[in-house]
Amino acid sequence: MIYLQLFLAFFIPGIIGYGGGPAAIPLVEYEVVAHFNFVTQEEFAQIVAVQSSLPGVTATKIAGYIGFQEAGVLGSIIAVAGFIMPSILLMIILLGLLKKFKSSPVVKRITNYVRPAIIVLLGSLTYRYMSDSYETVKLLPTIILMFVSLVLLQKFKLHPIYVIILAMTYGALSTFII
Amino acid sequence: MVKNYQLFLTFLKIGLVGYGGGSAALPIYHKEIIERNKWMSDDEFSDIIAIANTLPGPIQPKIVGYVGYRLKGIIGLIVSLLAIIVPTVIIMVLFLGTIYAYKDQEWISGMINAVLPVVAVMMGIMTWEFFTKSNKSLGPVSNIIFIFCSSVILVVLNIHPAFLILFLILIAFIPQGGKR
């Protein structure tokens, strides 16, 4: 059943994702691409591109979008609720108790121990997007686009929206020229 | 007394101007919730952030949901979350919907394919940032060991990440003697 699948696809990353919204992206990717096949790998990359160009809550936007795409408004609500409500409810219910733990070394260790797993997932995502890019836009444009966006994002600290718009313009124009 | 519409407008504003995921967006929350609206004390807000960090999941919705609940109960919680999430989701649905409707046009497919290398770079940058953070918090040797073991489990053995992460959370509870 689609609603249950949507719930699980976002509930799992929501309940194990330490490190905030951006860290949840590879976990969400695993569920919606590899596990439940809601979107293809390329579509997920496009969704990430669009969401990073928009303000607001990072991974939650993805939940809202994919939920809507799969099962309309109700699907969207279920995906978002599955993603964010467990931790919000825990926070409301256990606030007093959690106060004791907020500076506990265990909490720090959880984030530190989980991070390497996120690094591996992010690294593999990077690799897969590179090979996807090699297959669709070919080798030379991939290298040029990657180099230019790396310089613009890292060196000039340009906001992703401009880099995405630039890449899209290039992509559209290149189909007329080549 | 805080009104629900004030919660809605404030979080709508943050949702539409607050760029940057995760804790990068926290200064704007501080500015709106504490400095502008004076909805709670600085201490309470720092507590909320610290406690939000002890729980898994995206950080901003936890803060928005909690602040909404703390000020106006369940209705406040729903109003605040809707304000911060719905507008950008609608923009995404409209934009991607339009693009996918014309996907057969060659220039449209060229356009959306060209974001692949950019997203690869964005993910690469995030990988690198997490890697350097991890180097600092775990130390280079443990970091490499953790990454190596995670790679074997996730990539070679192809085990669902949830099992690995649950295991990592469990071992974080093991008391550690001495240093740090």
Side-chain angles (χ1 to χ4, degrees):
Chain A
M1 185 173 137
I2 185 71
Y3 294 122
L4 183 64
Q5 288 186 344
L6 275 172
F7 178 80
L8 285 176
F10 290 97
F11 173 77
I12 297 168
I15 204 78
I16 59 171
Y18 271 91
I25 288 180
L27 298 168
V28 168
E29 195 265 356
Y30 186 91
E31 300 300 331
V32 301
V33 176
H35 197 178
F36 290 108
N37 301 312
F38 291 144
V39 290
T40 66
Q41 193 167 297
E42 289 83 1
E43 281 166 348
F44 192 79
Q46 289 147 13
I47 293 169
V48 169
V50 172
Q51 75 83 20
S52 69
S53 307
L54 294 172
V57 280
T58 314
T60 315
K61 276 179 284 191
I62 301 179
Y65 172 77
I66 291 181
F68 181 83
Q69 219 45 22
E70 291 301 308
V73 173
L74 186 57
S76 187
I77 294 171
I78 287 173
V80 170
F83 192 46
I84 65 176
M85 282 320 282
S87 49
I88 295 177
L89 289 179
L90 282 176
M91 205 167 147
I92 290 169
I93 298 165
L94 302 176
L95 192 81
L97 190 70
L98 290 168
K99 254 184 189 158
K100 283 188 210 128
F101 290 104
K102 68 174 183 188
S103 49
S104 116
V106 172
V107 170
K108 214 168 267 160
R109 276 208 298 272
I110 293 179
T111 313
N112 290 346
Y113 287 3
V114 169
R115 201 179 281 127
I118 304 290
I119 294 172
V120 171
L121 290 170
L122 277 172
S124 108
L125 206 53
T126 310
Y127 170 75
R128 282 183 282 135
Y129 285 160
M130 275 165 60
S131 60
D132 259 6
S133 178
Y134 168 67
E135 276 163 33
T136 51
V137 297
K138 300 302 166 218
L139 184 62
L140 194 61
T142 297
I143 292 173
I144 295 169
L145 282 168
M146 281 189 67
F147 179 75
V148 172
S149 28
L150 183 65
V151 170
L152 293 178
L153 289 169
Q154 272 303 77
K155 192 157 171 18
F156 295 101
K157 302 283 172 205
L158 209 60
H159 191 276
I161 187 167
Y162 303 112
V163 186
I164 299 281
I165 290 174
L166 202 69
M168 284 182 154
T169 313
Y170 164 84
L173 290 177
S174 69
T175 55
F176 293 116
I177 298 160
I178 302 160
Chain B
M1 193 65 197
V2 186
K3 299 274 195 308
N4 278 317
Y5 80 88
Q6 291 172 311
L7 278 176
F8 185 83
L9 289 179
T10 299
F11 287 122
L12 183 72
K13 183 173 152 195
I14 298 178
L16 291 176
V17 300
Y19 271 105
S23 28
L26 292 180
I28 187 173
Y29 284 87
H30 184 270
K31 192 166 176 240
E32 289 295 321
I33 294 169
I34 312 300
E35 290 168 33
R36 245 176 60 86
N37 289 303
K38 303 187 171 63
W39 282 337
M40 51 183 64
S41 69
D42 226 338
D43 282 352
E44 189 181 359
F45 186 70
S46 325
D47 260 5
I48 290 175
I49 289 176
I51 290 158
N53 275 321
T54 66
L55 292 166
I59 181 126
Q60 293 182 49
K62 270 182 286 191
I63 291 169
V64 175
Y66 183 80
V67 170
Y69 179 80
R70 152 84 171 63
L71 296 172
K72 294 296 285 178
I74 295 287
I75 303 293
L77 178 146
I78 294 170
V79 163
S80 306
L81 285 175
L82 286 177
I84 200 122
I85 297 167
V86 172
T88 38
V89 170
I90 291 177
I91 299 174
M92 274 184 84
V93 168
L94 291 178
F95 183 74
L96 283 167
T98 313
I99 281 194
Y100 287 148
Y102 297 100
K103 198 161 58 173
D104 298 338
Q105 301 271 343
E106 208 180 331
W107 70 276
I108 293 274
S109 69
M111 192 172 100
I112 53 178
N113 283 336
V115 305
L116 278 170
V118 182
V119 180
V121 168
M122 283 164 48
M123 294 295 131
I125 291 173
M126 257 170 79
T127 313
W128 177 249
E129 283 172 357
F130 277 48
F131 181 82
T132 48
K133 231 187 247 176
S134 192
N135 251 351
K136 263 189 220 140
S137 56
L138 290 173
V141 179
S142 312
N143 188 26
I144 294 296
I145 295 171
F146 268 83
I147 290 176
F148 177 77
C149 296
S150 300
S151 308
V152 171
I153 292 166
L154 293 173
V155 182
V156 182
L157 302 176
N158 207 5
I159 286 169
H160 193 295
F163 293 112
L164 171 64
I165 292 177
L166 285 176
F167 174 72
L168 291 168
I169 293 173
L170 276 181
I171 61 169
F173 277 93
I174 299 171
Q176 294 193 333
K179 55 178 181 172
R180 232 182 333 149

